[in-house]
Amino acid sequence: MARTLGKLLQVVGLVLLPAAMVMQLTGPVRAPLGVGSVSAMLVLMVFGFAVFNLGRIVEGYGTR
């Protein structure tokens, strides 16, 4: 169960990274997300990276 959840989190993290780039290029999210001058793309990419790493840790706990 933990292994499947970990793999799902990894996939979500990998999908967020290109989605953040596409959103930045198309222009609907150009304003900061209330975080000073940091762009929305950078916030989403850091979040995607964190989700991927969390998935890797959870998957590691799920293996024997």
Side-chain angles (χ1 to χ4, degrees):
M1 179 69 183
R3 186 168 188 251
T4 305
L5 178 64
K7 290 219 179 255
L8 178 67
L9 286 172
Q10 288 178 10
V11 169
V12 168
L14 285 176
V15 167
L16 280 176
L17 299 177
M21 289 187 277
V22 167
M23 285 174 28
Q24 183 71 19
L25 290 174
T26 57
V29 183
R30 289 195 183 242
L33 290 173
V35 191
S37 63
V38 179
S39 71
M41 182 180 91
L42 182 60
V43 172
L44 270 172
M45 290 182 83
V46 169
F47 181 71
F49 180 74
V51 167
F52 179 84
N53 283 329
L54 179 66
R56 182 64 190 112
I57 292 169
V58 169
E59 180 192 8
Y61 281 127
T63 58
R64 292 182 182 157

